[in-house]
Amino acid sequence: MARRIAQPARMVALTIDDARVEAGEGDTVAAALMLAGLDRWRATPTSGAPRGLYCGMGVCFDCLVTIDGIASRQACLTPVAEGMRVETGAGKRRLEPKR
Amino acid sequence: MPQSATGNDCDLAIVGAGVVGMALAHGAAGAGARVTILDEGDRAFRASRGNFALVWVQGKGVGLPPYARWTLGSSDLWPGFAAELEAETGRRLHYDRPGGVDVALDEAELEERFSGVERLHNAEPRAAAVEKLDRRRLQKLLPQIGPDVVGGTWCAADAHVNSLRLFDALHEAARLRGAAYRPNARVESIEPLADGFRLVTQAGEMRARRVALAAGLDNARLAPMLGLSAPVKPERGQVMVTEKVQPFLRHPMSGFRQTDEGGVMIGYSNEDRGYDSGQDWRTMARIAANAVRVFPQLAQARIVRAWAALRVMSPDGYPIYERAGSGPPAYVVTCHSGVTLAAAHARILGTAIARDAWPTEDLAPFSARRFAHG
Ligand SMILES: Cc1cc2nc3c(=O)[nH]c(=O)nc-3n(C[C@H](O)[C@H](O)[C@H](O)COP(=O)(O)OP(=O)(O)OC[C@H]3O[C@@H](n4cnc5c(N)ncnc54)[C@H](O)[C@@H]3O)c2cc1C
Ligand code: FES
């Protein structure tokens, strides 16, 4: 279980799968997920194995989440923002035909 | 361990463990040669690790009709070759031959391409059949195409494979067939002797009864040491791959393919940048913009990786296959399209090298002598 070791100057509010949570300004989405008690937040589309934070620095693409409706964003590289909507658990995306 | 794996004397030394060298090793070891494969380290230029993984037939050989037949021959060997490798290694290659498409964004381009196909068919009636599709017919095959696509060409022989799995399976199969793989053993020089060759490598000296050069770009430097010639040069290609998405593209295409795992590969550039295997955003942006014109849906997909690799290009783009004229057996085998040709390299050239039965006449069109005059 992740634990915060320094108090941020300001807090922002966001949602993770529709649940409201608070995170420190400047935290990454990965930090917010970990502090919310999640350590695996999707399954790989190839094998179904669970995935969460792995490299923590943008290399492995294990930490993908949907942020404000845009799928497959790296939680470890994206800073939180006020009102942000984070959704976990996405599998392989479907590319919708353009209308 | 077989003696060739530890001793400094070996039967057949293959220089280079890219997809070309490994295909030769597979075939030669299968035909009874005791093979030692000498390779560089991890920082080497390796087209074999950065390619697009098409087993591609259409459009090949317009300027050299025997190449069209050679390519189709390899493409026809591929299903059996893939099945054999899978059975032998227990690994899956994800080889699939649903037929391939090359789309066109303007009429003139399509006409020009198709007139090349027709010229080829007049010169070589046994070349693979290629059909021209207008936009309506193309849409039946690929409903996702964007409004700018005017049509395309179709060839039922086109296929694709997971080329990293192919590479891995070739290494595993060579090992199972008793071949010895020696990385970090770059060949610095080769000297013909009366009964074989002396090779000076990064890992010491060794002797081989016969040698096959499959060193990619370094064939240009090594071939003259054996009285051969292979004037190959690098041509850079940049490729990108999207996140894994639901199956949306059934057919491999020139410049597009969806992998077995769901990522969509998008290619590619053809750049003359010497030995610079770096990337640049302008080229990537151009490739992405073109991709979105062909498949507007791709705009929604995120690019997760992009890379560049150096093609191994002869002056006319066709392979160089040659046996040295005199002395102990020495060969050079180099090409662009080493994935497509892997089956022919393994089954035909690897076997020929193992048996010292080089089909000189059949391979005459691929001799480097074609560059001497002209
Ligand atoms: C962007 C791109 C896309 C491509 N797409 C396709 C495709 O869709 N279909 C297809 O069929 N082909 C494709 N190709 C071409 C294909 O990848 C190459 O034809 C093939 O990989 C060439 O293999 P190779 O073994 O000759 O060379 P390489 O892969 O370059 O391997 C050469 C090997 O030799 C070793 N070596 C070099 N010098 C020495 C030395 N002195 N001593 C010992 N070892 C040495 C190197 O370390 C290396 O391991 C593509 C290539 C590129 C770059
Ligand atoms: S944890 Fe590796 S990319 Fe985010």
Side-chain angles (χ1 to χ4, degrees):
Chain A
M1 179 82 190
R3 192 166 52 82
R4 188 181 284 288
I5 52 175
Q7 222 33 58
R10 250 194 311 271
M11 302 301 281
V12 298
L14 63 153
T15 61
I16 296 176
D17 297 329
D18 294 329
R20 204 187 114 95
V21 300
E22 289 216 314
E25 193 178 61
D27 283 356
T28 62
V29 170
L33 286 159
M34 301 284 278
L35 287 166
L38 294 166
D39 60 2
R40 35 189 78 187
W41 50 77
R42 70 177 186 111
T44 77
T46 15
S47 68
R51 289 290 188 270
L53 191 71
Y54 183 59
C55 73
M57 57 182 205
V59 177
C60 70
F61 289 79
D62 266 9
C63 61
L64 303 180
V65 286
T66 302
I67 298 176
D68 293 335
I70 300 177
S72 300
R73 295 186 65 183
Q74 287 159 285
C76 73
L77 291 188
T78 313
V80 294
E82 184 65 39
M84 179 183 263
R85 283 181 300 114
V86 177
E87 293 158 79
T88 67
K92 247 182 222 178
R93 278 179 78 188
R94 176 177 302 283
L95 300 181
E96 301 300 338
K98 282 249 162 89
R99 296 282 160 219
Chain B
M1 272 209 155
Q3 194 240 321
S4 61
T6 49
N8 282 326
D9 287 331
C10 79
D11 169 24
L12 170 61
I14 294 178
V15 183
V19 71
V20 172
M22 293 314 297
L24 293 179
H26 185 250
R34 285 185 304 108
V35 177
T36 299
I37 311 144
L38 302 167
D39 200 17
E40 295 179 292
D42 280 343
R43 305 301 300 267
F45 292 115
R46 281 197 181 99
S48 303
R49 294 192 186 179
N51 63 66
F52 210 74
L54 298 173
V55 179
W56 200 248
V57 176
Q58 67 166 289
K60 299 277 179 77
V62 171
L64 186 71
Y67 181 57
R69 269 189 64 205
W70 177 249
T71 298
L72 180 59
S74 188
S75 148
D76 286 341
L77 288 173
W78 245 102
F81 174 63
E84 182 189 26
L85 265 180
E86 289 190 340
E88 197 171 349
T89 62
R91 314 214 164 156
R92 292 199 55 203
L93 303 186
H94 300 281
Y95 168 75
D96 189 24
R97 199 188 201 189
V101 176
D102 189 0
V103 296
L105 291 168
D106 74 76
E107 291 288 351
E109 178 199 340
L110 185 58
E111 285 315 313
E112 190 190 312
R113 192 194 306 157
F114 200 70
S115 77
V117 169
E118 287 175 327
R119 253 183 295 129
L120 171 60
H121 268 267
N122 292 335
E124 176 47 88
R126 287 168 295 179
V130 174
E131 239 181 293
K132 183 163 70 177
L133 303 179
D134 62 17
R135 183 176 163 84
R136 270 217 353 269
R137 288 179 60 208
L138 185 60
Q139 255 177 326
K140 292 215 175 92
L141 219 55
L142 298 171
Q144 322 87 319
I145 50 171
D148 293 349
V149 176
V150 298
T153 43
W154 158 262
C155 175
D158 291 328
H160 61 159
V161 65
N162 184 320
S163 71
L164 293 177
R165 305 250 185 243
L166 165 68
F167 198 46
D168 174 53
L170 282 172
H171 269 270
E172 174 65 3
R175 190 184 68 79
L176 292 170
R177 290 181 174 196
Y181 173 63
R182 293 202 192 166
N184 305 309
R186 180 178 195 267
V187 175
E188 310 292 353
S189 65
I190 310 177
E191 184 195 332
L193 309 169
D195 57 348
F197 300 89
R198 192 171 72 96
L199 295 95
V200 178
T201 85
Q202 206 186 346
E205 271 190 36
M206 57 180 289
R207 276 162 196 259
R209 191 170 80 72
R210 43 205 179 143
V211 173
L213 297 182
L217 291 165
D218 208 29
N219 287 325
R221 185 182 68 87
L222 293 170
M225 298 177 194
L226 301 175
L228 291 161
S229 155
V232 287
K233 291 217 170 89
E235 181 191 277
R236 188 166 83 178
Q238 298 188 47
V239 179
M240 317 193 246
V241 64
T242 70
E243 62 183 297
K244 296 174 175 65
V245 295
Q246 297 286 343
F248 105 113
L249 183 57
R250 162 114 180 80
H251 298 281
M253 298 172 59
S254 177
F256 299 87
R257 73 179 201 95
Q258 187 166 19
T259 72
D260 51 284
E261 294 179 343
V264 181
M265 286 176 64
I266 299 171
Y268 19 59
S269 60
N270 299 78
E271 305 163 75
D272 177 5
R273 301 295 295 263
Y275 282 83
D276 176 359
S277 62
Q279 298 159 264
D280 71 283
W281 65 265
R282 266 176 231 285
T283 306
M284 290 195 260
R286 186 178 56 68
I287 293 171
N290 178 71
V292 170
R293 272 182 84 191
V294 176
F295 293 118
Q297 275 151 287
L298 281 177
Q300 301 160 46
R302 294 174 65 84
I303 301 292
V304 293
R305 272 189 304 287
W307 64 88
L310 301 180
R311 298 182 181 88
V312 181
M313 278 294 183
S314 68
D316 59 8
Y318 299 117
I320 299 172
Y321 301 141
E322 196 135 38
R323 184 196 193 282
S326 56
Y331 307 87
V332 62
V333 175
T334 192
C335 70
H336 177 53
S337 298
V339 179
T340 306
L341 298 174
H345 289 165
R347 295 236 169 134
I348 302 173
L349 301 187
T351 308
I353 289 170
R355 301 194 175 135
D356 290 330
W358 190 250
T360 307
E361 214 157 288
D362 294 350
L363 297 179
F366 306 115
S367 160
R369 268 168 296 198
R370 69 185 187 272
F371 306 120
H373 39 80

